[in-house]
Amino acid sequence: MTTIVLLLLVPLAVWRIYSRLKIVLGRTKSELWRHYATLAVMVVMLLAVAVQIFGNWIAMAALLAGALVGAFLGQRNMKLSRLENRPDGFFYTQNRKLALLVIMLFISRLIYRLFEAYLHMHNGLPLDPDFLGNPLTAWLFGLLGGFYGLYAWRLVEWRRAQKPVPRPIDIFDIK
């Protein structure tokens, strides 16, 4: 009975994550420190996964392939993004379809791992400790890291190339 309840709750959780991400991926104020932080987190994540799977050459190749595909999709996402330089600041709206695809693929792999852990717990079997050594998992980590790493880097480049638009003078603004 518990497994049936879990199978019913997983689609609800996925839908809830998806609907929440649609809101988060809307128009966003561009702040350089966030772009640098995203870039740093993605690079550190890729390096940490590479260190963990060092020696497993199939998983390492999958990580590299995922990072390359992710970088290509990140570049494509940058071209499809709406970039705004306004008097009230810099804003960007990324393409939701590509971003949701990458994030939901990654999250679905994590949910699968949780479901696998649940089934192993009930059967009394040990869980495979080499989660990152699985080529599919390594590929998805590479995809996420490459996608958001390159996207953050391109946003930094865009911001550095822009001059702020001056605010209009308001004669009634008394300070």
Side-chain angles (χ1 to χ4, degrees), residues 42-54 56-71 106 132-147:
M42 292 302 141
V43 168
V44 167
M45 179 189 71
L46 286 175
L47 289 175
V49 172
V51 166
Q52 288 291 318
I53 64 174
F54 188 76
N56 183 347
W57 302 114
I58 295 173
M60 192 70 101
L63 179 70
L64 180 62
L68 290 174
V69 170
F106 183 76
L132 292 175
N134 185 321
L136 179 61
T137 303
W139 188 81
L140 288 171
F141 269 93
L143 182 73
L144 183 74
F147 182 80

Side-chain angles (χ1 to χ4, degrees), residues 6 39-40 43 72 78 125 149:
L6 184 64
L39 178 62
V43 168
F72 171 75
M78 188 64 184
L125 299 172

Side-chain angles (χ1 to χ4, degrees), residues 89-160:
F90 297 96
F91 296 91
Y92 68 97
T93 307
Q94 62 180 309
N95 183 311
R96 280 189 185 160
K97 291 177 184 172
L98 281 176
L100 282 171
L101 173 71
V102 170
I103 294 170
M104 290 307 293
L105 281 172
F106 183 76
I107 289 174
S108 63
R109 181 64 180 159
L110 296 179
I111 289 173
Y112 173 78
R113 179 63 172 190
L114 290 173
F115 188 69
E116 187 180 44
Y118 172 78
L119 290 178
H120 278 65
M121 180 181 69
H122 277 294
N123 295 336
L125 299 172
L127 191 60
D128 179 22
D130 194 19
F131 176 61
L132 292 175
N134 185 321
L136 179 61
T137 303
W139 188 81
L140 288 171
F141 269 93
L143 182 73
L144 183 74
F147 182 80
Y148 274 109
L150 187 90
Y151 190 71
W153 178 251
R154 297 287 292 151
L155 284 173
V156 167
E157 287 179 339
W158 169 69
R159 278 291 307 271
R160 287 188 163 185

